[in-house]
Amino acid sequence: MVLATNVKEEITNILFEAEKERREIKKFVDDYPELTIDVAYDIQEALIAKKMAAEQTRISGWKLGLTSKAKQQMMGVHEPSYGVLLENMALTPSEPISMKPFIHAKIEPEIAFVLKEDLTGPVVTVADVIAATDYVTAAMEIIDSRYLNFNFTLPDVIADNSSSSRYVLSTERHVIEEIDLELMGCVFKKDDDVLATTTAASVMGNPARAVAWMANKLLARGQKVQAGDVVLSGALTGAETIVAGSTYSVSFDGLTGFTVSFIEEKE
Ligand code: OOG
Ligand code: MG
């Protein structure tokens, strides 16, 4: 069975309102088993169009999700997904972040690629991604699934724009050729506690491979990663539930790290 157009619209609206009202919702696949991966990306596109119109913002890039074993095991979903980043999702490291917009946000350490050329294919390789990269930078993503307890299947999370909420990039840019995309060490901390340590290879063996994977998926849908786009290649470690009053930091071998802090804001 094919998911009816009015059901696609209904799911799009429910996801849009859930974010706006900071309300958790039940995942959709239980009621709509015909929600396939392809249909889920159609819903994601409709949701992004709706957000851009309502919030007067534009696409700034893309995000990958579930590209590391740590994340796949944590979420029980064993394939990557992608989503869209919008300009109004970008935050700066120096400003304390208010918890106000979030339902139950988590934070993740990531490696961001910023492109200087489009990724056109027909088949995009790791070498193509490296050649098209303007610079790489340390990043953290704030995810905030609209689903109850982050409980979802792959099509659910895709429809929900892969749980995206906000992202923070370091202000320091690094030349990709100077970085070891496998061995680069990563330390993720909450206040003074080390939450996890790993290397860049935890993202699909090489985070540039994650970018290539997504570029090929986008080409199949008639879209492409473009010059100027930011691409978050996916969390290297498990995500950490954000606690107001805490700070989180990421540091990488050879990439300048940074810290973000969160504040509770009373209504
Ligand atoms: C899905 C999004 C995962 C990542 O970096 O792996 C993600 C989720 O876990 O809610 O952004
Ligand atoms: Mg992420």
Side-chain angles (χ1 to χ4, degrees), residues 63-65 108 110 141 143 232 234-235:
K63 63 156 285 181
L64 283 126
E108 308 175 316
E110 306 214 10
E141 186 182 23
I143 53 171
L232 296 180

Side-chain angles (χ1 to χ4, degrees), residues 63-66 71 75 108 110 141 143 150 152 157 162-163 234-235:
K63 63 156 285 181
L64 283 126
L66 309 166
K71 277 290 311 194
M75 307 320 292
E108 308 175 316
E110 306 214 10
E141 186 182 23
I143 53 171
F150 275 76
F152 50 68
V157 71
S162 293
S163 307

Side-chain angles (χ1 to χ4, degrees), residues 40-252:
Y41 278 116
D42 292 343
I43 293 172
Q44 182 190 108
E45 253 185 81
L47 178 63
I48 291 300
K50 200 173 163 74
K51 275 174 69 77
M52 286 199 296
E55 298 165 18
Q56 293 293 297
T57 189
R58 294 185 306 191
I59 293 178
S60 56
W62 305 89
K63 63 156 285 181
L64 283 126
L66 309 166
T67 50
S68 62
K69 278 264 165 354
K71 277 290 311 194
Q72 292 186 353
Q73 278 163 3
M74 183 176 189
M75 307 320 292
V77 177
H78 299 278
E79 248 181 90
S81 67
Y82 64 81
V84 178
L85 297 176
L86 297 173
E87 282 176 356
N88 67 355
M89 296 177 182
L91 300 174
T92 51
S94 48
E95 292 279 313
I97 301 170
S98 163
M99 296 294 285
K100 220 170 168 177
F102 307 130
I103 307 168
H104 47 199
K106 298 185 188 185
I107 187 160
E108 308 175 316
E110 306 214 10
I111 300 162
F113 292 65
V114 178
L115 298 203
K116 59 184 175 197
E117 284 163 30
D118 296 0
L119 291 173
T120 49
V123 176
V124 177
T125 64
V126 167
D128 295 333
V129 171
I130 292 170
T133 298
D134 188 8
Y135 60 91
V136 291
T137 181
M140 283 191 262
E141 186 182 23
I142 299 163
I143 53 171
D144 198 25
S145 173
R146 269 50 68 174
Y147 300 114
L148 202 61
N149 303 323
F150 275 76
N151 186 350
F152 50 68
T153 66
L154 183 61
D156 289 302
V157 71
I158 290 168
D160 187 29
N161 198 31
S162 293
S163 307
S164 78
S165 178
R166 300 288 188 278
Y167 66 96
V168 194
L169 302 187
S170 161
T171 51
E172 301 292 328
R173 304 172 172 195
H174 301 270
V175 178
I176 193 159
E177 285 82 5
E178 288 172 10
I179 281 152
D180 188 328
L181 290 167
E182 293 181 7
L183 290 180
M184 178 170 64
C186 168
V187 180
F188 181 38
K189 284 191 191 173
K190 173 174 182 263
D191 302 320
D192 289 329
D193 296 332
V194 174
L195 295 169
T197 59
T198 187
T199 73
S202 59
V203 174
M204 291 174 81
N206 175 337
R209 186 166 297 122
V211 181
W213 175 87
M214 183 184 70
N216 288 314
K217 292 282 179 197
L218 284 173
L219 289 174
R221 287 184 58 86
Q223 292 167 288
K224 67 178 178 204
V225 184
Q226 294 181 28
D229 283 354
V230 174
V231 183
L232 296 180
S233 54
L236 293 88
T237 70
E240 187 70 16
T241 300
I242 298 169
V243 179
S246 298
T247 66
Y248 298 84
S249 66
V250 64
S251 54
F252 290 100

Side-chain angles (χ1 to χ4, degrees), residues 1-4 7 11 26-40 43 153-156:
M1 254 204 17
V2 178
L3 197 72
V7 177
I11 294 177
K26 242 180 67 210
K27 64 183 192 296
F28 295 103
V29 282
D30 303 333
D31 294 334
Y32 302 107
E34 59 277 39
L35 178 60
T36 60
I37 289 174
D38 248 359
V39 173
I43 293 172
T153 66
L154 183 61
D156 289 302

